[in-house]
Amino acid sequence: MTKLLSARRSWVFPLCAVLGWEALAQGGFLQGRWPSLFFVVAELTRDWQNILEATARTAWQVFQAAVIGITVGVPLGVLLAESKWKIGGLYGSLAGLKAVPVTVLIPVFLSLFGLEKFIVPLVALPLALNFCVNTAQAIAQANQSRLRLLRSWSVSYRTYTWHVLPFECLDAMLQTARVMLPFAIALHIALDYFLCIPNGLGCYVYQAYSYHEHARMYAGILVVGIIGLCLGTTIDVASRRLLKWKRDM
Amino acid sequence: MMQLIDLGYKFEASNVLLRGEHKFQPGEIAHLTGKNGSGKTTILKILARLLDDYTGTCEFPSNWSARYVPTNITSSLFLPWYTVRKNIDFLVEGAPARSKSHELGHRFLKSTFDRLLDQPAYTTSAGESAAIAIACAVATDPYAILLDETLSYAAPALAREVAEELEAFVCRGRLLFVAGHRDLPFAGTVRTVRMVEFDDEAA
């Protein structure tokens, strides 16, 4: 019964959102720039081919950026944790730089120098920065008493590094992914919007906005929301499966 | 032989102390007793060389090696993300020791051991974890085994089986330290060492 009630409750927010949307559209708010949800969905079904192409480009480029960001950031974080760079202030500088407004501004700033062809590395930059700092933090905060205990049982540091540290840091890594992957999508769309090279969803939304096709613009934004929702759900499911041992202990 | 003289460890609020001179010969079982917070676990951690900023003297034999089995085995000694089998492999290096740990595991836990082997480590009960950890410790044949309340988790029959094996281990010229409040299920002589706090001393 409780399950049924909570399942019912999960429909309350989307229902309110739809009703609120329609109220705004019918009320003529924003000088008629807020189209009815029916027009947005109609636009979505009419222009599905272009939207799908733009979505595929965005998804592929964000995927590439995520792979680069994780591949570069995580090993750098391990090196940072293991070395004495922390003392030299590099760690503090990176930790400061990873603040979200700064990481948005760096790629936007770089894009002003005609780096539009490098949209994937630009998106990968804040991802690498965040994964680097968070990996270093996770390693520093790993269960040190477990390390000392296992070392007293003659478990080598190499074995510990391969069999314990990745699992100890997994929660922090998934948390980073949960924050940074939707952020990467948003950043890609923002860069795409500013640079407007025929690319992904950002450019699609910008073009629709330029031609005052508001229903088409909101169709693009709706797709961005759906992508974010799918990504969040995927990471939640992965977390539940990968950290089952933590939850059940 | 190992010797402890006025062993202490300074915490923020209090000191723990093993007052006087204590010599432990190979082949001895030492039972550390004392009230909660008197420092039994701390002494075991010093003996396991997990704490090194202690006061007093602690003379270790040249060939000293110790296996400390903590209270919360599943969350501090075992790797809960692995199966029991992989944990045994992890704690016991080398094939002969591994086979010995499996042999002991079978003896202690009978038919349930086979079922446990492929289960995630976090699903094992406290008694089962204790038996497996002690089997691993015995299999690695260290100079000393340090048990922190570990035996109290085992059911009486299991505790007797484990105690028999530990006595055999001690008879091979090894040392056994057991911290806890309950009587130990050993047939042979057990030396009781009572922990004293500074507060007790002052009183």
Side-chain angles (χ1 to χ4, degrees):
Chain A
M1 188 63 186
T2 318
K3 209 172 178 180
L4 192 69
L5 279 174
S6 65
R8 272 184 191 168
R9 247 181 260 136
S10 68
W11 285 100
V12 172
F13 178 71
L15 190 69
C16 288
V18 169
L19 290 175
W21 183 302
E22 274 309 300
L24 284 172
Q26 300 303 325
F29 287 98
L30 299 172
Q31 294 152 355
R33 283 187 212 159
W34 192 281
S36 163
L37 197 59
F38 297 106
F39 292 132
V40 174
V41 174
E43 197 58 40
L44 202 63
T45 48
R46 190 192 64 76
D47 201 24
W48 66 270
Q49 210 167 358
N50 284 333
I51 290 181
L52 206 62
E53 265 180 43
T55 308
R57 273 195 223 108
T58 299
W60 173 236
Q61 290 188 348
V62 170
F63 173 74
Q64 285 175 301
V67 170
I68 294 171
I70 293 168
T71 317
V72 172
V74 172
L76 272 179
V78 175
L79 284 176
L80 193 66
E82 298 298 316
S83 72
K84 290 175 180 171
W85 293 355
K86 277 188 257 187
I87 300 161
L90 182 67
Y91 177 81
S93 313
L94 288 178
L97 270 178
K98 79 161 192 169
V100 172
V102 179
T103 46
V104 176
L105 287 176
I106 294 172
V108 172
F109 177 71
L110 290 175
S111 71
L112 297 177
F113 294 95
L115 293 171
E116 62 270 10
K117 285 181 185 166
F118 302 102
I119 194 162
V120 172
L122 284 177
V123 176
L125 186 69
L127 281 174
L129 198 63
N130 272 273
F131 271 101
C132 171
V133 174
N134 289 0
T135 304
Q137 274 175 353
I139 291 172
Q141 287 164 6
N143 191 339
Q144 293 299 314
S145 58
R146 192 198 292 278
L147 168 63
R148 282 197 297 275
L149 182 57
L150 290 174
R151 296 285 288 138
S152 80
W153 273 70
S154 304
V155 172
S156 67
Y157 192 75
R158 188 170 173 273
T159 314
Y160 174 83
T161 307
W162 285 109
H163 293 274
V164 182
L165 264 186
F167 294 93
E168 293 263 10
C169 299
L170 193 59
D171 198 8
M173 292 295 98
L174 286 167
Q175 295 279 11
T176 308
R178 193 193 307 276
V179 174
M180 288 314 292
L181 292 182
F183 170 80
I185 292 176
L187 181 60
H188 182 277
I189 287 165
L191 287 174
D192 208 18
Y193 187 94
F194 283 126
L195 303 170
C196 203
I197 35 178
N199 216 316
L201 277 170
C203 191
Y204 181 89
V205 171
Y206 179 72
Q207 280 173 347
Y209 171 74
S210 311
Y211 299 131
H212 302 285
E213 295 172 7
H214 295 122
R216 200 171 137 227
M217 184 181 85
Y218 283 107
I221 293 170
L222 198 66
V223 171
V224 174
I226 292 168
I227 293 174
L229 205 64
C230 292
L231 195 63
T233 310
T234 309
I235 294 171
D236 279 348
V237 171
S239 298
R240 272 203 297 276
R241 281 178 180 267
L242 293 172
L243 297 172
K244 194 173 185 297
W245 57 272
K246 204 165 191 175
R247 205 184 60 221
D248 292 352
M249 261 175 72
Chain B
M1 187 189 73
M2 82 166 305
Q3 194 173 20
L4 310 175
I5 305 168
D6 289 340
L7 201 57
Y9 187 82
K10 190 159 178 59
F11 285 106
E12 276 182 21
S14 66
N15 271 296
V16 293
L17 178 75
L18 193 56
R19 180 58 94 191
E21 191 177 324
H22 297 267
K23 287 179 183 171
F24 298 96
Q25 302 288 350
E28 263 193 294
I29 300 174
H31 186 199
L32 298 178
T33 59
K35 63 182 183 183
N36 293 98
S38 60
K40 301 183 290 292
T41 300
T42 307
I43 294 292
L44 290 187
K45 284 183 177 174
I46 290 170
L47 296 181
R49 290 183 162 162
L50 298 173
L51 300 173
D52 48 14
D53 47 345
Y54 54 86
T55 57
T57 308
C58 186
E59 283 176 17
F60 293 104
S62 57
N63 55 343
W64 176 260
S65 62
R67 295 286 181 267
Y68 170 59
V69 183
T71 320
N72 47 349
I73 296 166
T74 318
S75 59
S76 56
L77 182 63
F78 281 180
L79 310 182
W81 45 86
Y82 282 155
T83 59
V84 171
R85 188 191 300 275
K86 205 155 182 184
N87 270 282
I88 293 173
D89 293 351
F90 191 77
L91 292 173
V92 182
E93 287 183 3
R98 193 178 307 161
S99 60
K100 170 79 174 163
S101 62
H102 279 251
E103 176 203 313
L104 286 174
H106 275 291
R107 211 187 104 190
F108 293 159
L109 299 166
K110 312 280 183 308
S111 56
T112 54
F113 186 65
D114 280 329
R115 175 181 57 78
L116 278 176
L117 275 174
D118 293 313
Q119 275 185 11
Y122 66 83
T123 60
T124 53
S125 72
E128 290 166 342
S129 308
I132 293 165
I134 291 171
C136 289
V138 171
T140 54
D141 200 23
Y143 192 100
I145 292 180
L146 318 166
L147 304 180
D148 193 356
E149 304 264 6
T150 320
L151 281 173
S152 57
Y153 295 122
L158 176 61
R160 268 195 302 278
E161 285 262 28
V162 174
E164 270 174 36
E165 191 54 45
L166 285 170
E167 280 185 309
F169 164 80
V170 169
C171 287
R172 293 198 295 271
R174 302 287 186 258
L175 260 170
L176 176 67
F177 286 84
V178 188
H181 303 278
R182 297 184 187 176
D183 290 338
L184 299 179
F186 296 108
T189 315
V190 175
R191 179 174 155 191
T192 302
V193 181
R194 188 169 172 267
M195 305 295 303
V196 184
E197 278 187 287
F198 272 135
D199 293 348
D200 289 357
E201 190 72 7

